[in-house]
Every structure is written in structure tokens, then in C-alpha cells.
Amino acid sequence: MRCPYCQTELPDHATECTHCDWVRDSTIEELRGENWLAAMLSFVPGLGHLYKGHLVSGILLLCVGGPAFLLFVMLLAPKTFGLSLLLPALFVAATAFHAFHLPDVRVHPGPREHALRTLAHWGKRMHR
Ligand SMILES: [Zn+2]
């Protein structure tokens, strides 16, 4: 492709020009939009992570982390006079914050590749 401003030859799907200050608008818009969407999806902890292609942490949050946390809160509720019921809000906020700042791995290296790398990383840690 060529830069729409200065006609410099750029790699395909370039997001900015190497010669002038042209930046692809949609790139900035998309990244911001996706981050907020990921944060909002985190009202169901794990969905925001899945959305950005983080399969392992997303599934763990969705199937293990969220339910385990809720159970913990329920068990704690009678002992804290119900104060522990405020914790899910904190949990959701923390998850949303994390999802918001996660790198988007859907395109690079791809959800499957990222999942494999995560598992390989954890496997190495466990064998140490
Ligand atoms: Zn240019």
C-alpha cells in the first residue's frame, strides 16, 4: 500500500507512515473501543479476557475463578454481617481493569498460539 499523504511505499496493513505523520484513524479507534468493550464484558469475569483472545485465563476466570470467588463470598457473608457481599464488585472491577490493559492477542500471535504459550510457560514453572 501507499501512504495517502506522501505516497511512500509502506508494508500492507501499515498503521502509520514511516515518512510523514499519517496514522490510520481506525487503528486508534478500534484499540480504544476494544479495550472498553473488554472492560464492560468483564461484568461476567472472563468474557473480557476471552474477547481479547486470552483463552486460558478467560476460561479459568469464567469456570473456576468467578464461581470459586462467589462461593467464598457466600461462606464469608454471615461472619462479616453481609459486608463480604461488596467483594464481588471489587472482583469485577479488578477483572475489568485487567482486561482493559491486556494486550489484544487475537491477531498476533493468535488465541490458539497464545494459549499454547501460556500453558507451556505454566508447565515449565511447575516442573521447577
Ligand atoms: Zn506518509
Side-chain angles (χ1 to χ4, degrees):
M1 64 171 280
R2 284 183 184 277
C3 171
Y5 288 0
C6 66
Q7 306 301 319
T8 303
E9 189 60 44
L10 299 171
D12 284 348
H13 311 298
T15 53
E16 58 186 18
C17 180
T18 49
H19 187 248
C20 69
D21 60 358
W22 172 76
V23 180
R24 191 190 292 271
D25 293 343
S26 58
T27 312
I28 303 167
E29 295 289 311
E30 264 168 38
L31 284 177
R32 253 185 228 144
E34 283 169 9
N35 281 341
W36 279 113
L37 189 57
M40 285 193 304
L41 281 170
S42 296
F43 279 105
V44 181
L47 282 191
H49 290 65
L50 287 177
Y51 176 73
K52 281 197 170 176
H54 293 255
L55 295 180
V56 176
S57 48
I59 289 168
L60 279 179
L61 269 171
L62 203 59
C63 303
V64 184
F69 188 79
L70 273 183
L71 185 68
F72 173 71
V73 166
M74 292 301 182
L75 291 174
L76 218 63
K79 287 171 189 155
T80 56
F81 306 103
L83 269 180
S84 71
L85 296 176
L86 292 172
L87 290 174
L90 285 176
F91 184 72
V92 165
T95 313
F97 183 81
H98 189 236
F100 185 81
H101 289 280
L102 273 179
D104 196 324
V105 298
R106 280 173 303 165
V107 179
H108 182 82
R112 194 171 165 272
E113 179 63 22
H114 184 263
L116 290 175
R117 281 186 203 178
T118 306
L119 291 174
H121 184 73
W122 287 358
K124 244 184 259 164
R125 225 191 277 173
M126 264 180 246
H127 285 293
R128 215 171 274 162

